[in-house]
Amino acid sequence: AKLFFVHTGAWIDQSKAQQVGSYTITYASGKTVDIPVESTVNISDWWSAPNNPVTVAQCVWSGQNGRSVVGVYAFMWSNPQSGDAIKFIQLSARKDAVIGLVAVTGEATK
């Protein structure tokens, strides 16, 4: 029913919302759906993460790296095809951005 992505980014411009990558979900049926990964919306740069708010995710971990505070975000996505099993998930990023996927977990259909 839902997927939860724990991710962060590097070299992501936070001055405006822009797509920096995507998660492509492939179902057992062969159907696919793309989930946009967008700066200021569901991801931000890891550098100073707690100070970079996003609209549909939140900073769920932060720590000191010796030079700054860094962190990761949790983003929940509601699966529109929850009756179709997910076969695999593919991450792609723009050439000028890095997306670090730390974890993915899910919530089953009830």
Side-chain angles (χ1 to χ4, degrees):
K2 297 176 185 173
L3 290 178
F4 300 87
F5 297 89
V6 179
H7 59 191
T8 195
W11 297 287
I12 293 179
D13 180 2
Q14 288 303 118
S15 65
K16 62 181 182 268
Q18 60 183 323
Q19 188 169 340
V20 296
S22 65
Y23 296 112
T24 300
I25 308 299
T26 300
Y27 296 97
S29 68
K31 292 179 184 177
T32 62
V33 65
D34 288 329
I35 305 166
V37 178
E38 299 175 279
S39 62
T40 75
V41 177
N42 56 18
I43 197 169
S44 181
D45 201 280
W46 75 308
W47 208 261
S48 300
N51 299 320
N52 296 330
V54 295
T55 56
V56 297
Q58 64 183 38
C59 183
V60 293
W61 176 88
S62 63
Q64 192 73 28
N65 76 352
R67 293 178 47 196
S68 179
V69 175
V70 295
V72 299
Y73 296 84
F75 161 58
M76 184 201 72
W77 174 74
S78 294
N79 183 358
Q81 303 288 330
S82 61
D84 195 354
I86 294 173
K87 188 173 180 181
F88 60 89
I89 302 169
Q90 180 179 349
L91 165 62
S92 60
R94 284 188 350 201
K95 291 182 181 182
D96 63 345
V98 173
I99 298 171
L101 179 60
V102 177
V104 178
T105 191
E107 177 181 287
T109 305
K110 295 178 182 169

